[in-house]
Amino acid sequence: MHLRYGLILLLLFCFSLTAHSQTRDYWQQRVEYEMEIEMNAPDNQFTGTQKLTYHNNSPDTLRRVFYHLYFNAFQPGSMMDKRSRTIEDPDSRVRDRIYHLSEDQIGYHRIRSMNQDGESVDYRVDGTIMEVELDEPILPGASTVFQMEFESQVPLQIRRSGWKNREGVEFSMTQWYPKISEYDHEGWHPNPYVGREFHGVFGSFDVKIKIDSSYVMGATGNLQNPQQIGHGYQDPGTAVNRPGSDKLTWHWKADNVHDFAWGADPDFTHTTAQVPGGPMLHFFYQTDPVAANVSSGSRQDSLKAYWERLPEFTVKSFQFMNKHFGKYPYEKFSVIQGGDGGMEYPMATLITGNRSERSLVGVTVHELVHMWYHTVLANNESRFPWMDEGFTTYASALVTEHLYGERDFPHSGAYGSYYRIVEDGEEEALDTHADHFVTNRAYGVASYSKGAVFLNQLRYVIGPEAFDRGMKRYFETWKFKHPTGRDFLRVMEKESGMVLDWYYEYFIETTKTIDYGIETVVGKGDSTFVTLKREDLMPMPIDVLVEYSDGSKQQFYIPLRIMRGEKPNETPGIERAVLPDWPWVYPSYTFGIPEAPESISRITIDPTGRMADVNRENNVFEMEEATRVFETK
Ligand SMILES: [Zn+2]
């Protein structure tokens, strides 16, 4: 009896140990897509076949799978349409445009057959999501092959994908094929497409696209038949050997990517530039003013000049990113005019092109930085939109600073928009699923601006050396994977030797804000006592700068006790005193300066402005003014 009881306990113990280690082990699914598409360009339609080999590397048995059919969003009454017509601040590119699409302007995917390992399977389509009930479950560690035939209509370009964007680009082909949903440690992610973010499975793509031979195409991946295609892909100085047909089949392959995009237009100019030691860059843009929908000839001439100078900026940007954030791992990158703004895809971006030079460079920089924070470090963009948009905003500011020379504070835009939304009381936590923010503005500020502030402020918390090393370590540790916010944080904890859970919890998971102020400054003999007050909820380590009347300066640093560490002195030219830790539960903190008050001119909390202190008015204490106030009382 006792023995049996003991055995059961032992078995239970073993089981819980196994379960525990499984949840801690990282795994990810893998896919191999083989697709063949034939475009009917005049009708904006195509037929296609897809063979998808799916590897279940999870510890779970899968009994159903989900696909995204993004084009179905472009139909009146779709969730994207309804969302756009009911949200208080709709995207100006969408508004009610989906609602007014005619039959030949809507988008769709119609699935004609679906097989698993050669046997037909049942499926159901609800808007942009297709659910497939499997007859044969996919066991942990097993693979299966899905085969699908489909007929699709490309929607009139409204959001990201479509035919005839406003600049006259014929095909912006993004989110354009039935794409299997990601299954990860948080389960399936069959998010209906309402216009926001993505999460895809890493793997390989082998894509053949047959289209009228007049079209010039840019795409994810490497072209397998450049000598047959030509259009600027052939080896320089060699003859193109085209098959005698009015259509060409473009054969693309890409590995270690989680999506595949392309763009095509008969009027594209195609240029290239080599990044030394890095990828070959390809640029596709329109120079025909009629096709590009540009009214004045001189405007078109300057646009052409901007596009001709763009490669130089792009090369420099890649060099900067390779040096500071990890090496771009693919051989190629394409900048394709198309879409409705700028959108990142593996090894490619679609951007609009009728812009000022600065704006053209700006959007290209933003999208190419996404190759690090989206393509290679493929966080679930819906769950953690700040990890791709915020990180990209942060690094783009540094790239732009590098391209155009020093600025005082490259992240001032991000801090500014964060402060404004806090003041307006419309902030929503970063940890909100991208689809579920109440307003587009709250999504935008959280993801882009506060996400960038999160990084720059973390650099303040742990010091620039540990932070910069950490960004590279994050890249090396998590490349070609799906890091979560906590995974990033762990890298930074390891690199800095500090405990940072509090930082993540306050800044990512809540909208609690930072406000420190100088409450009192009291002289006593040859000493001055300064009392600081935490006026808001979020605790932080504090830099204080004391400026003396003789022009000299001294730094005081107050570590936060729960972070269990101190950053090194960031400006060794100015002497720094490390004060005792501030335990966060204490609302105020007093420290002494071994100088009489008369010798002090100014005391400043956070003199570099990197702490996102929402009320900076109480951060500076001018001794002279304060003394005068005291005397008049
Ligand atoms: Zn972005």
Side-chain angles (χ1 to χ4, degrees), residues 197 342-344 366-367 370 373 388-390 392-393 448:
E197 306 274 338
M343 186 63 193
E344 68 280 7
H366 180 93
E367 305 309 336
H370 268 308
Y373 306 109
D388 47 290
E389 294 305 349
T392 293
T393 303
Y448 292 75

Side-chain angles (χ1 to χ4, degrees), residues 9 33 58-59 81 150 173 201 203 215 242 260 277 312 318 329 340 364 381 481 485 493 521 543 547 588 606 632:
L9 269 184
Y33 283 93
S58 82
D81 173 37
F150 52 95
M173 296 294 281
V201 191
Y215 280 83
R242 275 196 193 154
F260 185 98
E312 185 190 328
F318 265 92
D340 52 28
T364 305
E381 298 165 47
K481 294 194 177 93
E493 286 191 329
V521 178
D543 282 348
E547 293 169 84
S588 61
D606 181 32
T632 54

Side-chain angles (χ1 to χ4, degrees), residues 469-488:
R469 284 197 314 270
M471 290 303 280
K472 283 186 179 168
R473 182 167 174 175
Y474 172 53
F475 184 85
E476 291 304 325
T477 308
W478 284 99
K479 63 184 173 188
F480 307 123
K481 294 194 177 93
H482 303 294
T484 65
R486 294 278 179 174
D487 292 325
F488 172 75

